[in-house]
Amino acid sequence: MLSLQSGDRLKDFWNSKVVLITGASSGIGASLVVELSKYPITIIAMARRAAEVALPRDANLNAKLISIAVDFLDPSSIEDAIALIPKEIDGIDVIFNNAGITAHGRFDELQMDVYRKTFATNFFGPVQLIQGLMTRLKKSKGRVVTTSTVSALYGIPGRAAYSASKSALHAAMESMRIELSEFGIGSVLVCVPY
């Protein structure tokens, strides 16, 4: 009986929500699209390959998908993606801040371009997107769920750029959670294990 009640609460929670998922064309982002499409929900799927994102065959009949291409390496692409969100969507309930890239290499051998690309994708792009959606988050008293990593908690040998970029995002999302709690905005960090 307890699991049924929990399932009912979960079902009710997602009903009629607006959810934005970054990195929606593969991995965790694609899995989120599949799982959340079981509910009557609006999913805004953002990815470089947004055209590849589709609702699965078993999606809820009232599930709606809006695919928007975005490249976190390009600040103007992020602005364009925000502008493509339909005006009638004035609130966003949950942002799954999932897009990211990894980088490998020894600290003394990594080129600065690797650091710049990793930080653009894992830190600057997500922060710009969330700031650009802040009015909509405040309206819904929304949540930002960030796919982080245990590599954000300490430096990993051979992963300096990745660990540093994820650590920066981790800290920014913690600060946002504290600073914007007065608006009802929440932040959750999911540290995916190895």
Side-chain angles (χ1 to χ4, degrees):
M1 188 68 160
L2 179 61
S3 62
L4 177 61
Q5 290 174 347
S6 297
D8 288 344
R9 278 196 301 259
L10 181 64
K11 178 182 173 188
D12 290 341
F13 176 81
W14 292 113
N15 286 349
S16 303
K17 293 287 196 265
V18 175
V19 174
L20 187 146
I21 303 169
T22 66
S25 63
S26 63
I28 294 170
S31 294
L32 285 166
V33 171
V34 169
E35 289 302 313
L36 292 174
S37 69
K38 296 174 182 176
Y39 303 98
I41 192 171
T42 298
I43 299 171
I44 302 168
M46 290 191 173
R48 283 179 293 134
R49 300 181 316 271
E52 296 176 10
V53 182
L55 289 175
R57 287 189 177 131
D58 63 346
N60 185 290
L61 293 176
N62 293 312
K64 180 179 177 184
L65 178 71
I66 301 167
S67 295
I68 299 176
V70 66
D71 183 353
F72 277 178
L73 294 175
D74 180 1
S76 63
S77 174
I78 298 166
E79 290 174 16
D80 292 345
I82 292 168
L84 288 172
I85 297 172
K87 300 270 188 255
E88 63 268 15
I89 297 177
D90 61 350
I92 294 177
D93 299 293
V94 180
I95 295 175
F96 283 99
N97 187 20
N98 178 66
I101 59 169
T102 190
H104 300 275
R106 284 176 45 113
F107 182 86
D108 58 343
E109 296 172 353
L110 274 178
Q111 300 293 316
M112 285 308 299
D113 284 349
V114 173
Y115 280 97
R116 288 186 183 97
K117 182 177 180 181
T118 306
F119 266 82
T121 303
N122 294 350
F123 178 75
F124 291 113
V127 168
Q128 181 185 350
L129 179 70
I130 293 165
Q131 284 185 336
L133 297 171
M134 192 54 63
T135 301
R136 288 176 162 132
L137 274 173
K138 286 179 178 177
K139 173 140 179 101
S140 296
K141 297 183 179 185
R143 302 285 179 263
V144 177
V145 180
T146 298
T147 303
S148 189
T149 171
V150 293
S151 298
L153 306 176
Y154 47 87
I156 302 297
R159 309 282 300 275
Y162 178 69
S163 289
S165 66
K166 285 295 196 173
S167 181
L169 182 63
H170 198 109
M173 294 297 97
E174 290 257 331
S175 295
M176 183 193 76
R177 178 184 56 80
I178 296 164
E179 294 169 358
L180 299 179
S181 62
E182 65 184 279
F183 296 101
I185 293 176
S187 175
V188 177
L189 293 157
V190 179
C191 290
V192 179
Y194 299 115

